Amino acid sequence: MGGETQTRATASSYPKLAAGPVGLQIRNIYRERLGQFTGGGQYEGHNLRAALDEGRASGEAHVKLSVYSPPDLARPTFKEAVENEFKPTNVGDSFGPSWSTHWFKVQIRVPEQLAKKELLEFHWDANNEGLIWSEDGEPLQGLTGGGERKEWILPDAFRDGNGHTFYVEMACNGMFGNAGGDIIQPPNPERYFQLAEADIVAVNVQARELFVDFWEIGDAAREFPGDSWESHEAQQVGNAIMDAFISGRGSQESIVKGREIARKYIGDKADSHEVYETEEKPIVFAVGHCHIDTCWLWPWAETKRKVARSWANQCNLMDRYPEHRFTCSQAQQYKWLEQFYPSLYDRVKAHVKKGTFQPIGGSWVEHDTNMPSGESLVRQFLYGQRFFESHFGERCQTFWLPDTFGYSSQLPQLCRLAGMSRFFTQKLSWNNINSFPHTTFNWVALDGSQVLCHMAPSETYTAEANFGDVKRSITQHKSMDQDKTSLLVFGKGDGGGGPTFQQLDKLRRCRGISDTIGLLPRVHMGNSVDDFFLALEKKAEKGTDFVTWYGELYFELHRGTYTTQANNKWNNRKTEILLHDIEYLATHATMMNSSYKYPKKDIDNMWENVLLCQFHDCLPGSSIEMCYDDSDALYALVFVTGEKLIKDAMTALGYTKHDSGKADPIALNTLPWYREEIMKIPGKSEFALVKGNQGTAEVKVLSKATKAWASVKELKGGVFLLSNEHFEIHVQGGSITSLVDKKADRQIVAKGQKANRLVIFDDKPLYWQAWDVEVFHLNSREVLPAGKTEIAEKGPHRVSVVTETKISEHSWAKTTISLSAALEGLPGYVEVDCEVEWRENMKFLKVEFPVDIYNTEASYETQYGIIRRPTHYNTSWDMAKFEVCCHKWADLSENGYGVSILNDSKYGFATCGNLMRLSLLRAPKAPDAHADMGRHNIRYAILPHDGPLDHRTVRSAYNFNHPMKLYSALPGKKLEQSSILNSIRLQGSTSLILDCVKRAEDDEDVSSGDLPKRKGRSIILRIYESLGGTSRGSIKVDKLDVKKVYKTNVLEDDEAEIPISDGEFHIELRPFEVATYRLQL
């Protein structure tokens, strides 16, 4: 075709001839090469590490050291320490032993050649913890040692060429104590630490920044999918940085060039807080955290110093990193800081006001939730929230409990009653059988109350803020059908420390990668945990249906903590009961005696000590021996104080302890129902029938001619028959071969089996000795040989037989089975007292009760309710509950009949088929080599019952744990059997329990602290529904001048006024509801 114009092709710049061969880059080789640039080892003197410093100064001309070593492992204050003589010392010297403290005076002079460098730091490393103090006694910076957190930025004033002084307080323990092997082994008492570094260092800032750039780029190359362009690009950028460094022979210019190359991948703002100021929407929200175990592999005294070291660091980082938000729980730790480091506490408080340091959790400590009583859980929140409100002006909205060994089914209800609708944890990620299926969900309590729960998908509360932590915050997220956001909780933890500057720098780079390259979930800093939950709650308001989980969050690990350190658990149960009685008596004393003052300060101190001992490594038994020396001393103080307070209150009420003299005795019944029991009179061989309502009960000494009877006889050699009107029991070798309920005509013991049989198991878990008992321990069951049985009591009011059982060469058990005379219309039980001398090694002692009952579920008392668990192993979820927690009782019932096992200080239990098994003692050797060694006295009882599980079991267990004590009227006083201590009476449904009577926190005559006081006097009542059904009742207070009644939350905020008429008000509780009422007098 003619006429068209031809267009000439533009010459291509692509070379016509090949310049030479170019090989395929071997991906794995070039990826592994990246490790050479920042790693240690043979290339450390030739890679980026060699350029991190621009200069150093050390030796006496620049760093002069002297030391004061306090005697006897003392921990003197700064003021006490600096008044002593300091002796010369040097780098290379060693200090110890374990747990000792050494104070160093550091006198430095910055040399002229370093004075104008961009960043000057002092580096101190003795492989142990320390705290830098200013010359005038201000705590400045915590030190970790072992290459971590050894830097302190020198003030600009130190660049003047003159001498300057500061101090280092050295603690002779590592971040995780002084273990003699791996971290959970018992401490080595003779550990010494060598001072390896005490230098003035000029930091090459660009090299340090490139180190972090390259770290995250290398992680991207390794952790992005291998077939992604993002991974390939990271590898190319990383190798280009290395090539530039090599070609520039490691010069400063080559380092700057490397940073320019890095920006192609991480962006231009990745070394600034401005990296977070983009419009891109993040889905991972990073929050700094410092989990400090209040005791664990170190004692409380060291925890107080860990708090100061850790929180001083965080205050410093907040001054340097505007985006840094740091959250920390445990009111106890804030209180310690205020007591022992007041100036640092003021710094923390200033950051709280700015919103950068964020108190969280609402509890006194991060406590165990399996074993404390319901009232203890309430007090954790009451004391925690009141502290936070009085010191920082706000209550917490989020319950924070990342490291506790399982979560009670009533926590959501108690959280809501304490003003918290949110819950954070992650511990269930440690499950070693089943994977918990949710990340963000509604957790529902026994009563139907719910909290919004989030479990960090990074599956840690001590994330290193690495690339992988950010990535896993989404790849391991299990609730993305409802919401894709997650919390990333980062910072050194357990032993304290918190976030480091390196971690904050890494997160900046991660955000830069997300905005520049993509694929990595976008992380954000600057928000609070409450901001995160608020966004979730808004989604719920707009219709997002988060999945639900009903009941306990059972932890499939650390089941041995229900049993380890038995004495500690005994102390917990007994002090809880002691405090119940004190508050009940003191409240009535203030109502009846105008000269008596409610001992609020003493009660607060007692509660704070008990709550402290409920920390999640103390009460569970997973701490070192020093911690239990501490808790034993604290409990001893609680008992001494408590006995004095009871004596004072009873004196005010007109009573004194019965001394077996001529004065007529009465029994003190602090429980809210009628009791009728046979009790032995202390110091005598006589028995008495005690009966009466709450308050004072009548005591009637029984004669041998009394109708009530119990008998014992030896049927044949070693076989004994104990009987009363309720039961007929055959005992042989300490075991019960037959237990017949006469009225029901029912054999309780399974055919061919023996009850009350002591069994022992080999107990060697996979790793965590004090914590774990594994399912395979059941394979090693060994029945202890029968010992000789003798009659100990012959009746007629109580009979008993005692059996001695040899456990091993060094251990034995003496078991006393007792049966008291039956009382008409009241449930009876078989009581067992077991005295054990325990000197075993990695063994587990239990007692078994094979019963002739069939059900696929057993019932266990938990805080303010009942939890039912399977008796079978149908699924792995069922089998995982081969050892569970219970409180005062466990029950196996079928239609029409059941058996309850009561205890006075035990928490571990198992029901497998028809075999009920109470856990008694363990013998782990780490972290306390002597855990549970010694003498133990254990009480438990077998309570058969006609009909279903009901109030009889609940009340019998309370009675078993609250033995009545004898008192007499003071000279000149008349005994009043009911009126004084029975002025508050609960009537109606037998499932309702009046569990607490106390004075109100804000009453003007008892209130302590800075919170507003309320005029007048008032009484707090806590009532719960115990069996799982809607229940009605009434409270009669006609003996008191009650003007108004309010239903409140557990923080005692009035929520609704309740009508009262003629000294009575009516209540209705939903199943397992916990209700609090305030009586305004």
Side-chain angles (χ1 to χ4, degrees):
M1 298 175 66
E4 289 91 351
T5 303
Q6 295 289 329
T7 302
R8 292 180 181 274
T10 304
S12 172
S13 61
Y14 175 69
K16 182 177 181 180
L17 301 176
V22 178
L24 176 69
Q25 191 181 93
I26 309 303
R27 181 156 169 72
N28 66 307
I29 292 176
Y30 279 81
R31 185 172 61 243
E32 290 180 19
R33 179 201 183 204
L34 298 178
Q36 293 182 353
F37 191 49
T38 54
Q42 62 182 331
Y43 301 120
E44 185 172 358
H46 305 276
N47 63 16
L48 185 59
R49 284 181 178 267
L52 291 175
D53 302 340
E54 292 188 290
R56 282 179 176 257
S58 60
E60 192 163 322
H62 304 293
V63 182
K64 184 179 180 181
L65 302 175
S66 55
V67 64
Y68 161 62
S69 298
D72 304 322
L73 304 185
R75 293 179 173 89
T77 64
F78 174 86
K79 184 177 179 181
E80 292 167 343
V82 298
E83 290 176 349
N84 286 274
E85 178 185 359
F86 283 70
K87 298 179 180 180
T89 191
N90 297 287
V91 171
D93 291 346
S94 293
F95 301 90
S98 303
W99 310 117
S100 62
T101 297
H102 304 269
W103 282 85
F104 295 83
K105 179 186 287 187
V106 183
Q107 296 167 288
I108 70 169
R109 189 183 304 273
V110 176
E112 184 178 355
Q113 67 269 24
L114 299 184
K116 293 185 179 180
K117 296 295 185 180
E118 182 178 358
L119 177 60
L120 288 182
E121 294 178 340
F122 178 70
H123 287 196
W124 175 280
D125 195 344
N127 199 32
N128 57 17
E129 292 194 86
L131 180 61
I132 295 177
W133 293 77
S134 69
E135 188 174 16
D136 57 356
E138 293 296 318
L140 300 175
Q141 171 77 23
L143 303 166
T144 299
E148 287 194 358
R149 212 186 308 260
K150 62 180 183 177
E151 316 89 352
W152 174 50
I153 297 176
L154 291 176
D156 286 340
F158 283 27
R159 297 171 181 259
D160 60 4
N162 297 321
H164 296 274
T165 300
F166 58 90
Y167 292 85
V168 176
E169 178 189 16
M170 174 193 284
C172 283
N173 53 266
M175 184 64 82
F176 292 94
N178 283 307
D182 64 70
I183 67 166
I184 70 165
Q185 294 308 307
N188 172 8
E190 294 297 328
R191 190 177 176 191
Y192 283 76
F193 299 84
Q194 185 180 56
L195 177 58
E197 185 179 10
D199 296 350
I200 300 169
V201 179
V203 177
N204 186 335
V205 176
Q206 289 297 318
R208 180 179 280 183
E209 295 287 351
L210 179 59
F211 194 97
V212 185
D213 295 344
F214 192 86
W215 190 340
E216 296 310 301
I217 292 169
D219 278 354
R222 289 181 289 269
E223 298 202 36
F224 273 148
D227 59 356
S228 67
W229 73 265
E230 294 91 347
S231 173
H232 283 264
E233 181 70 9
Q235 183 166 311
Q236 296 306 308
V237 170
N239 276 276
I241 292 171
M242 292 181 70
D243 291 342
F245 185 83
I246 292 168
S247 64
R249 292 178 172 81
S251 65
Q252 190 67 14
E253 291 75 14
S254 71
I255 292 170
V256 173
K257 178 65 174 177
R259 296 216 66 212
E260 291 174 1
I261 297 169
R263 290 189 187 99
K264 297 177 183 178
Y265 203 86
I266 64 175
D268 295 331
K269 298 180 179 179
D271 56 359
S272 164
H273 68 278
E274 294 177 359
V275 72
Y276 298 112
E277 296 173 3
T278 68
E279 297 300 320
E280 304 293 341
K281 190 174 182 180
I283 57 174
V284 178
F285 295 86
V287 177
H289 178 53
C290 172
H291 181 71
I292 305 177
D293 284 318
T294 302
C295 68
W296 182 30
L297 305 177
W298 51 86
W300 287 325
E302 198 56 46
T303 305
K304 296 168 186 176
R305 302 201 294 189
K306 283 177 176 285
V307 171
R309 292 191 285 258
S310 302
W311 294 5
N313 293 346
Q314 299 315 307
C315 289
N316 295 340
L317 289 173
M318 289 171 201
D319 294 337
R320 295 164 55 193
Y321 291 82
E323 73 271 26
H324 185 29
R325 299 294 181 270
F326 176 73
T327 193
C328 220
S329 64
Q330 306 197 73
Q332 174 69 84
Q333 294 184 6
Y334 288 86
K335 182 174 181 178
W336 280 338
L337 191 74
E338 183 182 25
Q339 287 176 319
F340 302 112
Y341 302 89
S343 63
L344 179 54
Y345 173 79
D346 288 340
R347 280 189 75 192
V348 167
K349 196 168 184 178
H351 279 288
V352 171
K353 191 172 183 179
K354 291 178 185 176
T356 51
F357 196 116
Q358 299 166 348
I360 200 168
S363 58
W364 191 249
V365 294
E366 288 188 14
H367 52 91
D368 178 75
T369 78
N370 287 312
M371 291 168 283
S373 68
E375 190 60 33
S376 285
L377 294 184
V378 167
R379 300 308 175 95
Q380 288 284 355
F381 292 142
L382 179 68
Y383 282 88
Q385 289 285 49
R386 287 180 68 83
F387 182 92
F388 289 125
E389 184 179 10
S390 64
H391 286 72
F392 305 118
E394 291 184 358
R395 295 172 177 172
C396 301
Q397 300 179 63
T398 301
F399 184 33
W400 183 269
L401 208 57
D403 190 32
T404 292
F405 313 146
Y407 303 90
S408 164
S409 53
Q410 285 287 47
L411 279 177
Q413 178 179 188
L414 298 180
C415 284
R416 298 308 296 261
L417 291 170
M420 293 181 286
S421 59
R422 307 152 181 174
F423 177 53
F424 173 84
T425 187
Q426 65 79 49
K427 197 66 177 183
L428 296 194
S429 67
W430 284 39
N431 280 4
N432 70 347
I433 296 180
N434 299 286
S435 176
F436 191 76
H438 310 305
T439 292
T440 304
F441 59 98
N442 295 310
W443 181 25
V444 185
L446 294 178
D447 77 315
S449 301
Q450 67 177 3
V451 291
L452 188 55
C453 180
H454 181 75
M455 296 188 182
S458 59
E459 297 187 346
T460 181
Y461 52 89
T462 58
E464 290 286 345
N466 287 326
F467 181 100
D469 293 316
V470 176
K471 179 185 173 185
R472 286 186 291 275
S473 294
I474 296 303
T475 59
Q476 295 180 169
H477 200 303
K478 300 173 184 176
S479 301
M480 286 196 288
D481 289 343
Q482 291 80 39
D483 182 81
K484 59 181 177 292
T485 62
S486 71
L487 276 176
L488 174 60
V489 180
F490 71 96
K492 305 288 183 179
D494 291 333
T500 64
F501 74 85
Q502 295 97 329
Q503 292 174 346
L504 292 163
D505 284 338
K506 285 188 288 182
L507 287 174
R508 287 178 173 181
R509 270 63 169 189
C510 287
R511 176 58 182 262
I513 291 171
S514 300
D515 288 345
T516 306
I517 299 298
L519 192 58
L520 182 66
R522 187 168 286 106
V523 66
H524 182 74
M525 283 204 70
N527 286 20
S528 68
V529 173
D530 286 332
D531 292 333
F532 173 80
F533 275 104
L534 181 61
L536 293 177
E537 289 177 349
K538 287 182 177 178
K539 286 198 71 171
E541 289 174 9
K542 293 178 180 179
T544 297
D545 290 326
F546 291 104
V547 298
T548 54
W549 184 274
Y550 283 80
E552 70 176 329
L553 294 174
Y554 178 83
F555 184 38
E556 296 178 1
L557 203 66
H558 293 4
R559 303 169 185 86
T561 60
Y562 313 144
T563 305
T564 308
Q565 298 286 2
N567 183 62
N568 205 50
K569 292 170 170 58
W570 187 93
N571 283 333
N572 177 71
R573 180 81 63 86
K574 301 310 176 186
T575 52
E576 287 175 335
I577 292 168
L578 178 64
L579 279 158
H580 167 276
D581 290 353
I582 289 168
E583 290 180 329
Y584 164 78
L585 295 171
T587 299
H588 284 83
T590 60
M591 300 300 109
M592 306 300 172
N593 188 331
S594 59
S595 64
Y596 175 83
K597 182 172 175 58
Y598 191 79
K600 186 67 167 65
K601 184 177 179 180
D602 286 332
I603 290 174
D604 286 346
N605 288 338
M606 291 176 66
W607 265 118
E608 288 180 9
N609 288 339
V610 171
L611 300 178
L612 170 59
C613 292
Q614 290 172 349
F615 177 73
H616 69 253
D617 276 307
C618 185
L619 180 55
S622 49
S623 289
I624 61 173
E625 188 172 9
M626 294 172 73
C627 299
Y628 296 105
D629 293 338
D630 287 347
S631 65
D632 285 349
L634 213 53
Y635 278 126
L637 177 62
V638 171
F639 284 120
V640 169
T641 304
E643 290 303 319
K644 178 183 181 300
L645 296 188
I646 285 184
K647 180 181 178 181
D648 292 346
M650 290 300 285
T651 299
L653 291 164
Y655 297 96
T656 184
K657 267 195 173 181
H658 182 63
D659 62 1
S660 302
K662 294 182 178 180
D664 293 331
I666 58 95
L668 176 62
N669 174 21
T670 59
L671 294 177
W673 47 70
Y674 176 84
R675 293 174 69 175
E676 187 172 338
E677 301 171 12
I678 290 177
M679 68 178 293
K680 189 172 184 179
I681 298 176
K684 293 187 176 183
S685 58
E686 295 177 305
F687 287 81
L689 176 64
V690 179
K691 56 182 179 180
N693 289 307
Q694 184 174 37
T696 54
E698 177 188 2
V699 177
K700 182 180 179 181
V701 177
L702 297 174
S703 68
K704 291 188 177 181
T706 305
K707 181 179 180 183
W709 62 271
S711 67
V712 60
K713 62 181 177 180
E714 187 171 9
L715 298 178
K716 58 182 179 179
V719 180
F720 296 83
L721 172 65
L722 290 74
S723 61
N724 64 13
E725 291 185 355
H726 285 169
F727 304 120
E728 191 173 88
I729 308 166
H730 287 79
V731 177
Q732 183 176 11
S735 297
I736 297 174
T737 58
S738 172
L739 170 53
V740 175
D741 181 336
K742 292 180 174 180
K743 291 189 175 181
D745 190 22
R746 176 104 186 205
Q747 173 63 255
I748 310 303
V749 180
K751 186 176 181 180
Q753 300 295 314
K754 297 179 180 180
N756 195 51
R757 174 178 274 183
L758 292 174
V759 290
I760 197 165
F761 300 81
D762 190 68
D763 189 15
K764 298 184 181 73
L766 296 176
Y767 177 69
W768 300 96
Q769 283 197 44
W771 295 258
D772 287 348
V773 57
E774 299 289 2
V775 66
F776 53 73
H777 88 286
L778 296 171
N779 300 337
S780 65
R781 175 181 176 271
E782 178 184 344
V783 177
L784 291 176
K788 182 181 180 182
T789 302
E790 295 178 339
I791 295 173
E793 290 180 295
K794 296 184 178 181
H797 311 301
R798 186 172 73 182
V799 295
S800 61
V801 293
V802 60
T803 304
E804 293 192 22
T805 301
K806 184 177 181 179
I807 298 173
S808 71
E809 192 66 30
H810 304 289
S811 302
W812 52 263
K814 183 185 291 185
T815 305
T816 303
I817 301 172
S818 301
L819 186 66
S820 295
L823 298 174
E824 186 66 32
L826 295 174
Y829 52 70
V830 181
E831 184 173 349
V832 182
D833 290 86
C834 190
E835 182 183 5
V836 182
E837 178 67 19
W838 185 244
R839 301 289 176 184
E840 295 304 292
N841 188 350
M842 300 182 195
K843 298 294 182 181
F844 200 154
L845 182 66
K846 306 185 184 187
V847 60
E848 294 182 341
F849 310 92
V851 295
D852 191 20
I853 302 289
Y854 179 80
N855 200 326
T856 57
E857 287 186 327
S859 300
Y860 304 87
E861 186 189 40
T862 187
Q863 298 96 342
Y864 297 131
I866 299 170
I867 187 161
R868 293 176 175 86
R869 301 181 177 110
T871 62
H872 53 77
Y873 295 160
N874 282 2
T875 70
S876 60
W877 293 87
D878 300 324
M879 190 186 73
K881 296 177 180 177
F882 62 84
E883 180 84 3
V884 298
C885 185
C886 76
H887 279 226
K888 298 185 291 293
W889 57 265
D891 182 86
L892 183 63
S893 292
E894 60 188 28
N895 182 39
Y897 204 86
V899 176
S900 300
I901 305 297
L902 317 181
N903 75 82
D904 80 334
S905 61
K906 297 298 169 185
Y907 296 93
F909 208 92
T911 306
C912 181
N914 68 334
L915 179 62
M916 305 177 77
R917 188 184 282 136
L918 177 65
S919 297
L920 302 181
L921 294 168
R922 297 186 68 224
K925 299 306 173 187
D928 177 3
H930 305 107
D932 284 320
M933 296 298 99
R935 190 69 55 89
H936 299 268
N937 290 282
I938 303 164
R939 290 178 64 238
Y940 53 89
I942 308 167
L943 174 68
H945 56 84
D946 196 12
L949 169 65
D950 59 19
H951 71 282
R952 293 170 298 173
T953 289
V954 176
R955 291 186 175 185
S956 294
Y958 266 98
N959 294 349
F960 191 73
N961 278 268
H962 290 72
M964 290 189 280
K965 296 179 181 178
L966 298 183
Y967 286 84
S968 302
L970 286 169
K973 300 279 187 178
K974 291 184 178 180
L975 285 178
E976 296 186 45
Q977 298 303 324
S978 61
S979 60
I980 294 178
L981 291 169
N982 195 23
S983 56
I984 300 167
R985 305 183 300 286
L986 171 61
Q987 300 175 336
S989 172
T990 54
S991 72
L992 296 175
I993 307 289
L994 174 57
D995 196 46
C996 173
V997 178
K998 64 182 284 288
R999 289 293 305 276
E1001 296 293 316
D1002 292 327
D1003 283 359
E1004 59 184 350
D1005 64 324
V1006 302
S1007 181
S1008 58
D1010 299 326
L1011 293 175
K1013 295 177 174 55
R1014 182 189 289 117
K1015 289 187 176 181
R1017 299 188 300 170
S1018 49
I1019 297 173
I1020 296 294
L1021 310 180
R1022 191 125 41 238
I1023 300 169
Y1024 74 98
E1025 197 287 315
S1026 63
L1027 294 174
T1030 300
S1031 298
R1032 297 185 179 93
S1034 66
I1035 308 292
K1036 290 191 70 70
V1037 290
D1038 50 325
K1039 297 175 184 178
L1040 301 174
D1041 183 17
V1042 178
K1043 294 182 172 62
K1044 291 184 177 181
V1045 177
Y1046 298 91
K1047 191 172 186 180
T1048 77
N1049 57 23
V1050 298
L1051 304 182
E1052 303 178 14
D1053 302 321
D1054 294 342
E1055 293 186 338
E1057 187 171 352
I1058 307 296
I1060 181 170
S1061 176
D1062 297 326
E1064 183 177 16
F1065 63 95
H1066 296 272
I1067 61 174
E1068 180 177 315
L1069 273 64
R1070 62 182 178 273
F1072 298 125
E1073 181 184 357
V1074 181
T1076 305
Y1077 300 92
R1078 185 175 71 85
L1079 315 182
Q1080 181 69 55
L1081 303 182

